[in-house]
């Protein structure tokens, strides 16, 4: 590896998971009650991808991170007040719906076009990161579709770890059934990595990083191109919140052993 | 969509976009980032500390100490510093610091205090220190950059002394400074003897800014000095204060007996005929610093009131869920206690108080930001005129003062009919701006500290009571009990209520401030005519009544022939201070709602939903106007009739008062209906599934 990676992370906003998410039908198709007003967070899966990207960029000299976000511009701006303080990146913004009901094909096409248009993009150094799933658009196909459109065939899904060697080759751990990992080695970029949770904690807000990022964030938002994504050809017959299955109990001062024993018993039932 | 369509109400509680417009930082990304940084620490680490019971001891534990690092990393520490010293806020910082205080106090007031106290210690140095002092201590307080191996300094501010010494009366300082050694041609070495009481940050402080007086004839006046932990002598951090509140800040009674070089006198000194003359006395410095920092304390109480709304709604709605016979989907299941009008109305009162308190706090923060930008220039002008202070300053201020009054009176005239060129000319005058903003600030600031914390504490008690028995338990969501009792300290430190009332009782007489009231009255009348639903007319009448009362006490004598306006007559002056604070708080709130009405509709995110927000917030303002008007009427009645002899019935004054009071009260039409609508909105507003910080 001489020049480092170009790591492009695909990630956008989802409603804050603590909010009340109530499906409703709108003239534009299915949506959520008070959707525009719901406070949002960076989609947790792509957030992991972003933190892993920044971590990798730090390790491999010459690397750079972009964040490609498709969402309502004004809401992206609000989101950036937090996200821009986490890790250094350059924003590429697309102005369009980030609703959970958009068609993954349309979204992937818009993202792939935006990635392809990044000035100075060098495919031989390109790693496309994203989430393996989404807290709202859980089609679990978006990253694969982006990869296909960019002509990148080395794709890893449910990634928890990447380990880069001196020559640019890397090994990857992907989640598979039964709590096990599939370990692979890849000769090098380009590749698509759709992340599970990774191993990194959420970095604390750092205002210095924030001030650095904001210089690029505001212009990026200003020139964000409209992306015509929507429900596409999908007809939604019915939308509903998954029924809550968890039985929750509040206990105080229980030891970890006790809690673990109870969980195991519950799983066995 | 028309604004008068009152059927639409708020869909969700006000979020960041609404607040950014109301509190005027929508285009300040540095402040928005600071808010997010503070919020992540508050609802993360700090909430965890409270939930884990760290408040159950007044000792300064390792867990509590972790807050400092979090403050350093997230920019909270740096928000108090100049950009040259790693700061993150470009320009004046009053609004930014108030917003941080708001975010932290949303979870815990003590933690907010811990974040602000370093600014209190640095304040005298930043505002009044010599260039060398500023450089040294600001640099020392700069959070280390990643990888940098440097210990950051933290400070304390020591004014208060063990009984029977300084407390409310900052004039009587017993701490002493004297000359210890003074070799010919060398810098004098001073001996400082200071005992502190209730000094915040003593568990960690590396330096102290301390107020001391002198009996040494070789030192001319009192002063503030900077003490360092490595100075020669006794630096005893003292025993921790056994606090029942704010346990996430550390407080102790320290003892200092130290030798320091004279260069530690804040603001420097000169030597004349063998006498050290400090450039500034301790009270001059305290005056300059405290007037600004106490705003953040008022904002703390405001944040806690607003933070109580969501947990209370959740409690009320879920009150009967799971009980035998309460079926899902039935009104009792869905609405719980919110079926009852009283529960909704009382919650509305808590909310309205929080809104008015916050609006007042942020308004005065913005006034101070503006003032910061021009005061330096103003002082340069005075210097160029050879004005050094005291009498000369009073004289130099006379012209700008009458200019400011002229400007405000012109502005109060109807648009189109007034002399805009003259207004523009006066507005462009630095000294006019200076006296105008100072006059407004000198009332708004103590009003914020007094009303937000004092009345805020009362309403936090109300919030606790709305939670029933849950309210007094450790498990109460939103930590309401702690927030209530903490408010008692917020009403006390940085100048208790008596100090604020005393200050208002002086500054409320300033002719420039009174001209500002005339302008507000004119603006409120216009607003009231255009939008009666705001209650602005009743508020205008309230200000008019207060003005009349001020004039009344200025002339009136009691039945024993004693003038009512004597400066020691707290029984007259302090209620007047309370009355104006009620009016100012709700005026700030109404102004913020009008800002939202002007700028909200074009906002891409909230625009489509804005009508509901404007309607409900307008209703909240309206019901708060009624509450404030009620206070002014009551206070007026006590003052006008209470000092008269039974036979007199206050004579002509009485009938003049009755007329004005009747006019004010007669314009309260609809304010109770507004309260009904707020209640309804509270029963319909969508809230998150769970609180975003732990219990
Ligand atoms: C937790 C905590 C932290 C603190 N942190 C600091 C700090 O970091 N640095 C610092 O210097 N100080 C600090 N203080 C001190 C604080 O500012 C004082 O407690 C406050 O100013 C009140 O003074 P006092 O307690 O001596 O009350 P007192 O002066 O005894 O006042 C009590 C009451 O007496 C009445 N009263 C007193 N004087 C008058 C008067 N002239 N006219 C009318 N009524 C009057 C009023 O009703 C008043 O409320 C702290 C206090 C606490 C509790």
């Amino acid at each position: 590896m001489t020049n480092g990676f170009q790591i492009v992370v695909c990630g956008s906003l989802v409603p804050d998971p603590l909010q009340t998410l109530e499906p409703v039908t709108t003239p534009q198709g299915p949506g959520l009650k008070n959707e525009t007003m719901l406070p949002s967070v960076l989609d947790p899966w792509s957030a992991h991808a972003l933190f892993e990207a920044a971590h990798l960029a730090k390790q491999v000299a010459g690397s750079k991170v972009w964040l490609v976000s498709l969402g309502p511009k004004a809401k992206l701006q609000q989101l950036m007040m937090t996200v821009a303080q986490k890790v250094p990146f350059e924003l590429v913004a697309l102005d369009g719906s980030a609703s959970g009901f958009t068609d993954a094909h349309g979204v992937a096409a818009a993202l792939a076009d935006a990635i392809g248009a990044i000035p100075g993009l060098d495919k031989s150094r390109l790693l496309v990161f994203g989430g393996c799933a989404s807290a709202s658009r859980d089609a679990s196909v978006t990253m694969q579709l982006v990869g296909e459109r960019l002509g990148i065939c080395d794709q890893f899904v449910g990634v928890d770890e990447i380990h880069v060697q001196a020559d640019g080759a890397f090994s990857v751990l992907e989640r598979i059934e039964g709590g096990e990992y599939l370990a692979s080695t890849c000769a090098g970029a380009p590749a698509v990595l759709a992340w599970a949770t990774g191993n990194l904690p959420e970095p604390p807000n750092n205002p210095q990083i924030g001030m650095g990022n904001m210089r690029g964030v505001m212009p990026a938002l200003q020139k964000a191109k409209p992306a015509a994504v929507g429900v596409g050809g999908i007809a939604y017959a019915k939308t509903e919140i998954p029924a809550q299955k968890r039985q929750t109990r509040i206990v105080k001062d229980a030891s970890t052993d006790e809690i673990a024993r109870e969980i195991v018993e519950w799983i066995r039932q | 969509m028309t604004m008068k369509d009152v059927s639409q109400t708020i869909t969700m509680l006000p979020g960041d976009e609404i607040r950014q417009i109301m509190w005027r930082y929508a285009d300040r990304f540095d402040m928005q980032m600071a808010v997010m940084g503070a919020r992540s620490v508050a609802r993360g680490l700090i909430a965890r500390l409270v939930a884990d019971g760290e408040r159950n001891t007044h000792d300064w534990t390792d867990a509590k100490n972790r807050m400092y690092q979090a403050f350093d990393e997230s920019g909270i520490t740096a928000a108090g510093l100049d950009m040259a010293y790693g700061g993150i806020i470009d320009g004046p910082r009053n609004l930014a610091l108030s917003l941080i205080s708001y975010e932290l106090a949303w979870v815990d007031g003590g933690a907010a205090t811990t974040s602000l106290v370093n600014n209190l210690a640095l304040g005298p140095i930043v505002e009044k220190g010599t260039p060398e002092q500023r450089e040294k201590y600001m640099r020392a307080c700069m959070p280390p950059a990643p990888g940098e191996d440097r210990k950051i300094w933290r400070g304390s501010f020591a004014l208060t002394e063990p009984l029977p010494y300084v407390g409310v009366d900052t004039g009587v300082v017993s701490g002493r400074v004297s000359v210890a050694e003074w070799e010919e041609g060398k810098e004098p070495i001073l001996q400082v003897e200071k005992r502190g009481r209730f000094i915040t940050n003593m568990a960690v402080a590396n330096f102290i800014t301390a107020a001391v007086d002198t009996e040494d004839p070789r030192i001319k006046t009192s002063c503030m000095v900077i003490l360092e932990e490595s100075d020669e002598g006794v630096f005893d951090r003292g025993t921790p204060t056994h606090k029942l509140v704010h346990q996430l800040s550390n407080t102790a009674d320290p003892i200092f007996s130290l030798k320091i070089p004279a260069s530690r006198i804040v603001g420097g000194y000169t030597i004349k005929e063998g006498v050290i003359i400090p450039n500034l006395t301790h009270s001059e410095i305290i005056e300059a610093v405290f007037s600004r920092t106490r705003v953040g304390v008022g904002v703390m109480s405001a944040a806690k009131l607003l933070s109580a709304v969501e947990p209370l709604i959740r409690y009320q709605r879920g009150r009967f869920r799971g009980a035998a016979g309460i079926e899902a989907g039935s009104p009792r299941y869905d609405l719980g206690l919110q079926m009852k009008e009283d529960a909704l109305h009382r919650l509305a009162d808590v909310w309205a108080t929080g809104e008015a308190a916050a609006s007042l706090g942020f308004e005065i923060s913005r006034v101070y930001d503006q003032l910061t930008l021009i005061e330096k220039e103003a002082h340069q002008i005075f210097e160029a005129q050879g004005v050094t202070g005291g009498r000369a300053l009073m004289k130099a201020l006379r012209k700008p003062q009458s200019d400011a009054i002229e400007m405000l009176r012109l502005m109060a005239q109807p648009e189109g009919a007034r002399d805009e060129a003259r207004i523009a000319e006066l507005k462009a005058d630095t000294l006019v701006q200076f006296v105008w903003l100072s006059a407004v600030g000198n009332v708004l600031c103590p009003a914020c500290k007094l009303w937000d914390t004092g009345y805020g504490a009362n309403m936090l008690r109300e919030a606790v009571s709305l939670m029933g028995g849950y309210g007094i338990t450790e498990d109460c969501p939103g930590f309401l009990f702690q927030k209530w009792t903490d408010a008692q300290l917020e009403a006390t430190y940085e100048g208790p209520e008596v100090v604020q009332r005393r200050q208002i009782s002086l500054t409320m007489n300033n002719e420039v401030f009174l001209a500002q009231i005339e302008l507000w009255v004119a603006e409120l009348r216009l607003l009231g005519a255009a939008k009666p639903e705001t209650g602005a007319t009743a508020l205008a009448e309230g200000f008019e009544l207060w003005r009349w009362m001020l004039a009344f006490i200025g002339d009136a004598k009691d039945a024993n022939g004693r003038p009512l306006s004597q400066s020691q007559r707290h029984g007259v002056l302090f209620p007047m201070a309370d009355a104006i604070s009620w009016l100012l708080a709700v005026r700030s709130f109404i102004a913020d709602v009008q800002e939202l009405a002007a700028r909200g509709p074009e906002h891409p995110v909230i625009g489509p939903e804005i009508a509901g927000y404007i309607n409900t917030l307008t209703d909240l303002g309206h019901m708060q106007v009624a509450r404030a008007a009620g206070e002014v009427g009551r206070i007026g009645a006590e003052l006008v009739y209470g000092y008269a002899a039974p036979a007199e019935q206050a004579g002509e004054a009485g009938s003049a008062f009755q007329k004005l009071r009747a006019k004010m009260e007669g314009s309260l039409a609809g304010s109770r209906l507004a309260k009904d609508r707020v209640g309804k909105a509270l029963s319909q507003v969508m809230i998150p599934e769970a609180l975003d910080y732990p219990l």
Side-chain angles (χ1 to χ4, degrees):
Chain A
M1 261 326 267
T2 45
N3 296 324
F5 291 115
Q6 293 184 335
I7 312 171
V8 179
V9 183
C10 301
S12 185
L13 45 83
V14 293
D16 182 318
L18 287 176
Q19 295 293 329
T20 302
L21 307 177
E22 198 180 317
V24 289
T25 307
T26 75
Q28 291 81 40
L32 294 173
K33 187 170 171 194
N34 300 326
E35 183 153 358
T36 52
M37 302 292 294
L38 288 171
S40 26
V41 297
L42 183 60
D43 199 333
W45 309 95
S46 41
H48 296 305
L50 179 64
F51 307 149
E52 293 284 348
H55 183 68
L56 180 60
K58 237 191 207 167
Q59 290 175 329
V60 182
S63 299
K64 178 174 171 178
V65 178
W66 283 261
L67 175 65
V68 179
S69 277
L70 194 172
K73 185 154 103 162
K75 293 202 73 118
L76 281 180
Q77 178 179 317
Q78 194 59 41
L79 180 73
M80 284 304 133
M81 297 306 152
T82 307
V83 176
Q85 295 193 61
K86 298 291 181 190
V87 294
F89 61 80
E90 186 177 323
L91 179 71
V92 178
L94 297 169
D95 189 17
S97 168
S99 150
F101 300 99
T102 47
D103 175 14
H105 286 266
V107 172
L111 293 176
D113 287 350
I115 295 171
I118 291 175
L121 193 78
D122 175 356
K123 236 182 175 178
S124 68
R125 297 163 59 200
L126 178 63
L127 295 180
V128 180
F129 278 24
C132 69
S134 159
S136 72
R137 296 166 295 278
D138 203 5
S140 294
V141 294
T142 310
M143 291 313 299
Q144 295 90 316
L145 294 171
V146 170
E148 290 301 326
R149 283 178 176 271
L150 291 170
I152 302 173
C153 305
D154 288 330
Q155 300 194 352
F156 304 89
V157 178
V159 177
D160 263 347
E161 197 177 299
I162 179 169
H163 185 76
V164 180
Q165 287 142 29
D167 61 354
F170 54 84
S171 54
V172 178
L173 291 185
E174 284 169 282
R175 287 189 187 181
I176 50 174
E177 288 299 300
E180 304 217 40
Y181 278 119
L182 173 67
S184 322
T185 347
C186 182
V192 170
L193 282 82
W195 285 81
T197 58
N199 292 304
L200 299 172
E202 175 171 344
N205 287 12
N206 180 329
Q208 305 295 343
I209 292 179
M211 288 194 287
N213 280 339
M214 285 314 279
R215 272 175 229 130
V217 164
M218 295 320 290
L221 287 167
Q222 261 145 29
K223 62 180 188 224
K225 288 209 185 88
V229 293
V231 290
I234 308 171
Y236 286 87
K238 191 175 167 205
T239 53
E240 63 182 14
I241 297 275
Q244 194 169 342
K245 293 238 174 70
R246 214 170 4 167
Q247 290 138 21
T248 316
R249 205 156 53 83
I250 296 173
V251 277
K252 245 188 146 174
D253 306 328
S255 74
T256 352
D257 284 345
E258 260 175 83
I259 297 170
R261 193 167 44 244
E262 254 198 63
I263 293 174
V264 171
E265 261 170 40
W266 178 79
I267 293 171
R268 283 203 179 122
Q269 274 167 22
Chain B
M1 175 197 86
T2 70
M3 292 305 161
K4 294 211 174 74
D5 171 14
V6 290
S7 58
Q8 194 173 343
T9 56
I10 205 160
T11 43
M12 294 169 61
L13 292 171
D16 286 314
E17 288 92 351
I18 302 269
R19 294 311 190 191
Q20 286 158 8
I21 295 175
M22 288 178 73
W23 300 335
R24 329 292 166 95
Y25 64 106
D27 46 9
R28 286 297 299 266
F29 304 122
D30 50 352
M31 290 193 196
Q32 293 179 26
M33 284 200 284
V35 163
M36 290 305 172
R39 186 176 301 169
S40 69
V41 176
R43 302 190 196 186
L45 172 67
I46 292 168
R48 196 68 267 155
L49 291 173
V50 181
D52 288 348
E54 282 290 325
R55 289 191 51 156
N56 298 341
T57 169
H58 46 251
D59 287 331
W60 196 244
T61 62
D62 289 342
K64 294 182 194 179
N65 207 49
R66 287 213 308 272
M67 280 193 301
Y68 287 109
Q69 199 190 341
F71 291 159
D72 294 346
E73 285 174 356
S74 62
I76 294 171
T77 309
L81 303 172
D82 286 357
M83 292 298 267
Y85 301 99
I88 58 167
I89 304 295
D90 207 357
R93 301 185 280 266
N94 296 285
L95 179 58
L97 290 174
S98 288
L99 287 165
I100 289 175
S101 176
Y102 178 90
E103 283 300 329
L104 296 176
W106 185 272
V107 176
D108 189 86
T113 299
T114 300
S115 89
L116 289 177
V117 67
N118 201 55
N119 301 330
L120 204 59
L122 264 183
I125 301 171
V126 173
E127 301 283 338
K128 299 286 171 189
T130 63
E132 296 77 26
Q133 289 167 346
R134 287 179 53 116
E135 167 68 22
K136 174 173 177 187
Y137 294 97
M138 284 235 245
R139 198 161 289 290
C141 290
M142 217 171 118
E148 187 188 358
D149 182 24
R150 173 170 56 81
K151 198 180 142 215
I152 182 173
W153 275 29
R154 306 191 198 279
S156 279
F157 175 88
L159 168 66
T160 311
E161 298 174 349
L163 298 174
Y165 310 129
V166 288
V168 167
D169 271 308
T170 54
V172 244
V173 183
S174 295
R176 288 291 177 260
V177 58
S178 57
V179 175
E181 300 155 26
W182 195 346
E183 282 180 43
E184 189 61 39
K186 282 197 177 157
E187 183 180 21
I189 301 294
L190 309 176
Q191 177 67 35
V192 173
E193 303 291 339
K194 172 85 184 180
R195 298 181 62 154
R197 182 171 203 240
F198 303 146
I199 304 305
T200 307
N201 232 19
M202 270 323 299
V204 299
N206 311 98
F207 72 98
I208 320 288
T209 38
V212 281
D213 205 344
T214 185
E215 281 161 346
D216 190 329
R218 286 167 298 172
I219 303 177
K220 179 88 184 289
T221 62
S222 78
C223 60
M224 293 212 70
V225 290
I226 309 167
L227 311 174
E228 294 181 8
E229 60 182 335
S230 59
D231 287 332
E232 181 190 333
V234 178
F235 186 100
D236 180 348
R237 294 180 182 275
T239 42
T241 307
H242 294 191
K243 279 181 297 184
L244 292 167
V245 299
H246 272 224
Q247 293 93 344
L248 291 193
S249 68
N250 64 78
T251 319
D253 295 357
I255 301 168
F256 307 108
S257 173
L258 298 167
K259 275 200 173 64
I260 59 165
S263 61
R264 299 270 195 79
I265 296 175
V266 176
Y269 62 95
T270 54
I271 293 174
K272 216 169 167 186
E273 290 158 9
V275 176
I276 297 170
I277 308 173
N279 290 337
L280 296 157
T281 65
H282 82 283
S283 36
E284 283 170 327
I285 295 178
I286 287 166
E287 171 97 12
V289 176
F290 268 93
S291 65
R292 314 250 161 129
T293 54
R294 59 171 63 128
V295 175
V297 182
V299 169
M300 281 182 208
S301 302
K304 296 190 292 179
L305 286 159
L306 291 175
S307 79
V309 176
E310 183 194 312
L312 283 170
I313 295 174
R314 190 173 293 109
Y315 175 76
Q316 291 181 336
R317 288 194 191 156
R319 177 67 177 78
F320 303 116
R321 286 180 200 167
I326 308 287
E327 307 250 330
S330 68
R332 281 197 100 188
Y333 183 94
D334 285 339
L335 288 171
L337 287 169
Q338 295 207 323
M339 289 173 72
K340 310 287 180 196
E341 181 170 287
D342 184 64
L344 291 169
H345 276 194
R346 284 181 191 279
L347 176 53
D349 284 330
V350 172
W351 185 13
T353 308
E355 292 289 347
S359 288
L360 178 58
F362 292 122
E363 172 157 28
I364 176 62
S365 306
R366 295 192 301 270
V367 168
Y368 280 146
D369 274 355
Q370 278 176 281
L371 195 54
T372 306
L373 287 174
I374 58 153
E375 65 191 343
K376 226 189 215 141
E377 209 182 315
H379 287 302
Q380 280 163 357
I381 295 173
F382 291 136
E383 227 165 80
Q385 293 174 348
V387 175
T388 46
R391 276 240 178 85
L393 186 63
M394 296 267 272
K395 214 172 137 203
L397 284 174
R398 230 171 265 159
K399 166 105 176 42
Q401 223 142 8
S402 68
D403 284 350
I405 294 168
E406 182 192 344
M407 177 190 73
L408 292 163
R409 296 214 168 121
L410 282 173
M411 286 163 75
Q413 289 174 11
E415 237 176 288
R418 62 195 181 194
D419 186 347
E420 298 290 352
R422 179 68 181 147
I423 293 177
E425 181 191 353
L426 291 168
K427 258 193 181 167
D429 185 323
T430 304
L431 294 185
V432 171
Q433 286 275 345
F434 177 71
V435 297
W436 176 26
L437 294 171
S438 302
V440 172
N442 286 341
V443 183
L444 253 57
C445 171
C448 164
K449 175 72 164 58
L450 172 65
W451 194 82
D452 283 21
T453 63
Y455 185 62
N458 297 348
M459 290 311 281
L460 278 161
R461 189 206 66 80
E462 185 81 24
V464 170
S465 72
L466 291 177
M467 281 271 185
Y470 207 10
I472 58 93
T473 68
E474 281 183 13
D475 310 319
C476 174
F479 311 135
L480 295 191
F481 187 87
Q482 289 94 328
K483 285 173 182 169
W484 164 39
T485 50
D486 282 353
Q488 183 52 42
L489 173 57
E490 286 140 36
T492 299
Y493 71 167
E494 288 213 41
E497 287 150 287
V498 50
V499 170
Q500 312 309 324
R501 290 191 174 108
R502 211 165 52 190
Q503 195 191 340
I504 298 171
S505 69
L506 296 172
T507 56
M508 68 186 181
N509 298 299
N510 184 329
E511 292 293 333
V512 178
F513 174 70
L514 297 177
Q516 171 70 73
I517 290 190
E518 285 172 38
L519 173 56
W520 282 333
V521 167
E523 289 170 350
L524 288 165
R525 287 198 187 288
L526 280 180
L527 178 64
K531 301 180 185 174
E533 68 275 17
T534 56
T537 306
L539 183 54
E541 301 298 351
F543 275 115
E544 295 275 33
L545 181 59
W546 184 86
R547 278 288 277 126
W548 181 88
M549 278 155 51
L550 191 67
F552 166 76
I553 61 168
D555 294 334
K557 292 194 169 93
D558 66 16
N560 300 322
R562 211 176 132 210
L564 290 189
S565 60
Q566 277 176 347
S567 71
Q568 295 308 321
R569 236 170 158 170
H570 297 166
V572 179
L573 300 178
F574 286 11
M576 285 298 288
D578 290 334
I580 192 69
S581 303
W582 276 95
L583 296 170
L584 291 173
V586 69
R587 195 212 67 84
S588 293
F589 178 34
I590 289 184
D592 284 352
V593 178
Q594 290 315 304
E595 178 78 5
L596 185 67
R599 298 197 40 202
E602 74 205 30
H603 192 283
V605 176
I606 57 173
E609 299 285 338
I610 200 70
Y613 283 87
I614 294 167
N615 288 338
T616 302
L617 291 171
T618 298
D619 283 339
L620 262 185
H622 197 171
M623 52 173 268
Q624 187 63 23
V625 166
R627 185 73 184 78
E631 284 296 316
V632 177
R634 174 189 64 77
I635 289 168
E638 288 191 42
L639 296 186
V640 173
Y641 301 117
Y643 288 103
E648 277 175 25
Q649 296 284 336
E652 260 176 57
S655 51
F657 170 73
Q658 278 169 22
K659 237 193 223 153
L660 284 172
R661 184 177 183 181
K663 208 168 160 204
M664 174 183 78
E665 291 174 348
S667 50
L668 292 178
S671 57
R672 243 8 218 194
L673 292 170
K675 191 168 195 171
D676 283 346
R677 285 191 298 271
V678 172
K680 187 150 176 255
L682 280 167
S683 72
Q684 293 173 344
V685 66
M686 185 171 105
I687 58 165
E689 297 284 345
L691 203 59
D692 64 350
Y693 53 97
L695 310 183

